[in-house]
Amino acid sequence: MRLLLRPELAAVAGAVLVWALFAALAGSAFVSGAGTTAWLNASAPLGILAVAVALLMIAGEFDLSVGSMIGAAGMCLMLLTGHFGWGFWPAVLLTVAFSLAVGLGNGLLVVRTGLPSFIVTLATLFVLRGLTIGTSRLLTGRTQIGGIREVECYESARVLFASTPVGSVRAAVLWWLGCGAVGIWLLRRTVFGNWIFATGGDPEAARNTGVPVTRVKVTLFGVTALAACLVAVIQAVQFGGADALRGQMFEFRAIIAVVIGGTLLTGGYGSVLGAVLGALIFGMVQQGLVITGVDADWFQVFLGVMLLVAVVVNHYTRTRLVGAR
């Protein structure tokens, strides 16, 4: 019974089922070293984002601006390096500061106004996307900027954010695993992790017991923005530039991955490990469809079906188990 209470249980079963399905359909093309590397690389950017989004959702809040933040942070980095001539690392520092400011601003707006985070961050999504497109066109006349490989200190950035000593596995996979490990430890082994669960479960009761609910929420909004910034920097180094539209739909995919991983939309219950597995399922399906030659349009069908199934299973299982106690 205790095992059934683990929020990531459905994600474990889902990951095994998806792997077995595509292993049967695609054979060695999916399960070989090259195939495994392909779906790990595809999972990594979403996985990094899903770790941070899971923590925020467990605390009872949403951040719909993370997809736009990927595009905005990447464009900020490229404008500073390509248009204004900055070195890579000073540009990264300013990009991180910009991202953190947006994330903390979202958090402060939510806690100070009492408005739903869904609405506040939806507004930020449009503001960031519009500013990114408008600014890049104003300064360069384009919405895509390349040339990062000619920027000062690019080689050190490539080692950290693009290449790895593990064959064709990208650095993003190592960042994903590292972020996942930190997130699991933070949530399960620290006082702050207990505060996250308490904040999402019952904010007023948490305040009454001394939990700094406001600080927890604002901090986690900053964390989601930083995760989006990390994805933006990795992709800029990996692809050689930035695109104002990069990150589109990532906000919804991250939420779906987190829900597949067992986190309740109402907060107070969830798992970082489940979010990591949810992102892994995305990568396996995405690459599995390519390998088997299935039209990629069916991927959107998968997203909708998986979200609906995950919400129903999470709600039903949690209700039955809590009622049985």
Side-chain angles (χ1 to χ4, degrees):
M1 180 65 74
R2 189 171 183 179
L3 179 63
L4 293 177
L5 283 171
R6 299 293 300 176
E8 63 270 11
L9 183 63
V12 172
V16 172
L17 179 62
V18 168
W19 184 90
L21 174 64
F22 284 109
L25 293 175
S28 60
F30 183 79
V31 301
S32 66
T36 300
T37 297
W39 46 260
L40 284 175
N41 288 337
S43 304
L46 180 62
I48 293 170
L49 205 57
V51 169
V53 171
L55 295 173
L56 182 62
M57 286 179 61
I58 293 169
E61 302 293 349
F62 294 90
D63 189 348
L64 295 183
S65 68
V66 289
S68 292
M69 177 56 72
I70 293 173
M75 191 57 67
C76 178
L77 176 64
M78 290 309 304
L79 286 175
L80 289 172
T81 55
H83 186 73
F84 293 106
W86 286 37
F88 181 84
W89 293 111
V92 166
L93 288 177
L94 188 57
T95 300
V96 168
F98 162 71
S99 303
L100 184 60
V102 173
L104 296 178
N106 279 337
L108 288 171
L109 273 174
V110 169
V111 300
R112 293 287 173 83
T113 65
L115 292 171
S117 55
F118 182 92
I119 298 299
V120 171
T121 58
L122 181 63
T124 307
L125 180 157
F126 288 110
V127 170
L128 279 177
R129 187 71 73 192
L131 280 175
T132 303
I133 295 172
T135 302
S136 62
R137 280 183 175 161
L138 178 66
L139 295 177
T140 68
R142 307 188 305 274
T143 58
Q144 295 178 326
I145 304 177
I148 198 171
R149 293 184 176 90
E150 286 73 48
V151 173
E152 179 187 349
C153 297
Y154 168 77
E155 282 305 313
S156 60
R158 184 182 62 81
V159 171
L160 187 59
F161 296 113
S163 62
T164 72
V166 190
S168 56
V169 173
R170 295 172 184 162
V173 175
L174 303 183
W175 281 102
W176 171 34
L177 297 177
C179 289
V182 171
I184 293 168
W185 169 79
L186 179 71
L187 192 62
R188 292 292 177 182
R189 301 295 181 184
T190 69
V191 173
F192 191 78
N194 292 333
W195 288 354
I196 293 173
F197 281 115
T199 297
D202 189 334
E204 290 307 314
R207 284 192 182 93
N208 293 336
T209 58
V211 175
V213 172
T214 296
R215 194 198 319 165
V216 169
K217 290 188 177 185
V218 173
T219 299
L220 292 177
F221 274 105
V223 170
T224 58
L226 289 177
C229 179
L230 174 59
V231 172
V233 173
I234 289 172
Q235 292 186 336
V237 174
Q238 177 184 324
F239 299 129
D243 186 333
L245 295 180
R246 190 167 289 162
Q248 208 166 27
M249 295 298 294
F250 259 62
E251 57 276 348
F252 298 111
R253 292 184 180 186
I255 291 174
I256 295 171
V258 171
V259 173
I260 290 173
T263 297
L264 296 182
L265 294 170
T266 52
Y269 179 82
S271 164
V272 170
L273 176 59
V276 170
L277 293 172
L280 182 64
I281 290 172
F282 266 71
M284 287 194 291
V285 171
Q286 191 173 5
Q287 290 302 307
L289 292 178
V290 172
I291 293 172
T292 55
V294 177
D295 194 322
D297 291 340
W298 290 100
F299 183 64
Q300 303 298 325
V301 176
F302 161 78
L303 296 185
V305 171
M306 286 299 293
L307 175 61
L308 184 59
V309 170
V311 170
V312 171
V313 170
N314 290 350
H315 174 74
Y316 179 79
T317 303
R318 184 66 174 161
T319 300
R320 290 294 299 270
L321 291 175
V322 171
R325 285 178 162 181

